[in-house]
Amino acid sequence: MKVVVAKAVLAFQSTDKYNTILFQWYFKGFELLRRYLIKHGLGTDLEELDFEAVDKEMEADEVALAT
């Protein structure tokens, strides 16, 4: 079963659809980082980020933008 799954994953990774999905995730990540740095400044220490706090802050920002 593991071999069949591995072959299926490999086959999917070689398709254009996989590349499109992967690009969309990277693009969204860079967009979120860009917005975070605009809000908090370029001097933000990215190595010390509390990702749970960042997630909560971005969720609150999304809600505020939607209203």
Side-chain angles (χ1 to χ4, degrees), residues 6-50:
K7 285 182 181 180
V9 169
L10 220 57
F12 176 66
Q13 288 177 336
S14 65
T15 66
D16 286 337
K17 185 173 183 175
Y18 173 77
N19 290 331
T20 300
I21 292 169
L22 190 61
F23 172 77
Q24 289 171 342
W25 279 99
Y26 277 117
F27 185 81
K28 184 176 181 178
F30 283 120
E31 178 61 20
L32 291 172
L33 178 61
R34 183 187 69 81
R35 288 190 342 214
Y36 187 84
L37 291 176
I38 287 171
K39 183 175 181 180
H40 294 281
L42 294 175
T44 302
D45 184 6
L46 298 177
E47 292 183 13
E48 298 297 323
L49 282 181
D50 177 1

